[in-house]
Amino acid sequence: MGRTPCCDKKMGLIKGPWTPEEDEKLIQYINKNGHGSWRHLPKNAGLLRCSKSCRLRWTNYLRPDIKRGPFSPEDEKLVIQLHGILGNRWAAIASQLPGRTDNEIKNLWNTHLKKRLICLGIDPQTHEPSSTVNGLLKRLPANPSTRHMVQWESARLEAEACLSKESLLLVPSSIEKSNSDYILRIWNSEVGEAFRNFNKNQETACQSPVSHACSSTKCGSASGTITERSLILAGPLAAGDNQTDDAECKSSISAVEDVPPGSDSASSNDLEDSSESLLQLLLDFLGTNDMSLLGNTDNYSLYSAILS
DNA sequence: AAACAAACCAACCGCCTAAGC
DNA sequence: TGCTTAGGCGGTTGGTTTGTT
């Protein structure tokens, strides 16, 4: 069936770039009256524009709280991290970067960040390692990456749950139910199973089954997992961005290739690593009631470990 | 200086969802 | 309950700018 176009059948509507005069009309009208119903705004404001066009122009360009200018390395890093969790949900990502619009972030991703990930041999959609970089076969992680992929998928589910939960928080009676639903969801996932297995293993191998002190941290041993690659990617970004994309790619790739040969031995500890992160993920989730989880990456043990 | 290519980004298009009737 | 519609979102396009030969 499809939705009826809001206004494209109307004759005489202007399309294409906005003129300063149109911008001024829109700004003055909204400042005076608020946008109210977007459908009636063009007529009331004296604009020969479709309502969608007006809304888009306002939200993506004219809004006073829009932050113009280049993205900082921190912002770029955050976008990469959030994309790894949320996927192409630009609006959700934008909500974590005040003053930035979904369109802006989408453009940033499509023109810069995606290419950098590809250069690093990372599939920008799945954030999984791909098999080649610049035609060269790259070392692929074995089981560890699989675990991390599962972990990341779980994190994505969690983030989506958080997004849903945010709206449910307004309905007190649903909070308890939704909390348990999310936890149950994670618990029943493969990650939850890994977590339970981890506990079993730790009971025999360690005195304190769910103690952080019990797990060794191997953040420095980049075995090619996506979280670690994200760090590698973030390096040149944080170091100041005067390099060209190509130069960034080369330096980043060399960083990947410079991983000491013995680093893959980390695989013996991968279950610990993965499960430790999972544990923290669950603990963080239990203790988190709003989107600050996504806003502050330090809450993610994954990131805090990586970024340390 | 001109031609071409690549990069950038504003804007459009169409689908989805939720609210209202 | 089902239909209509406004608003919102993500994908894509195409015009403009910048860089390279």
Side-chain angles (χ1 to χ4, degrees), chain A residues 45-181:
Chain A
L47 289 163
L48 290 170
R49 289 277 180 173
C50 138
S51 59
K52 272 188 175 186
S53 183
C54 292
R55 184 178 57 80
L56 216 59
R57 183 65 180 170
W58 175 257
T59 56
N60 284 347
Y61 201 83
L62 299 176
R63 234 173 49 200
D65 56 329
I66 295 235
K67 187 163 73 179
R68 313 297 306 176
F71 282 76
S72 69
E74 289 73 24
D75 284 347
E76 291 184 345
K77 199 159 61 181
L78 184 56
V79 170
I80 292 167
Q81 291 168 344
L82 288 169
H83 187 273
I85 297 167
L86 298 166
N88 291 4
R89 293 172 60 187
W90 310 117
I93 294 172
S95 70
Q96 301 305 307
L97 287 103
R100 300 295 187 180
T101 68
D102 56 348
N103 209 31
E104 210 176 358
I105 288 167
K106 186 167 56 183
N107 283 334
L108 172 74
W109 179 264
N110 287 330
T111 57
H112 288 108
L113 304 182
K114 192 160 82 175
K115 291 173 187 172
R116 287 179 193 168
L117 284 173
I118 290 169
C119 280
L120 287 171
I122 297 168
D123 184 328
Q125 279 309 309
T126 62
H127 286 240
E128 294 167 13
S130 55
S131 57
T132 60
V133 173
N134 291 348
L136 300 171
L137 185 64
K138 302 302 295 179
R139 181 173 46 235
L140 288 175
N143 288 335
S145 72
T146 307
R147 290 201 188 92
H148 279 275
M149 282 152 50
V150 171
Q151 179 179 308
W152 273 96
E153 182 59 24
S154 179
R156 178 196 291 266
L157 288 173
E158 182 198 5
E160 287 177 358
C162 282
L163 285 168
S164 304
K165 193 174 78 170
E166 191 178 32
S167 61
L168 291 175
L169 286 175
L170 296 172
V171 187
S173 63
S174 66
I175 293 174
E176 197 175 328
K177 181 180 184 300
S178 51
N179 270 344
S180 56
D181 281 351

Side-chain angles (χ1 to χ4, degrees), chain A residues 18 21 45 71 73 100 153 185 190 192 224 226-227 243 254 294:
Chain A
W18 280 63
E21 290 75 25
F71 282 76
R100 300 295 187 180
E153 182 59 24
R185 195 162 151 197
E190 289 179 63
I226 182 61
T227 52
Q243 293 173 295
S254 69
L294 297 176

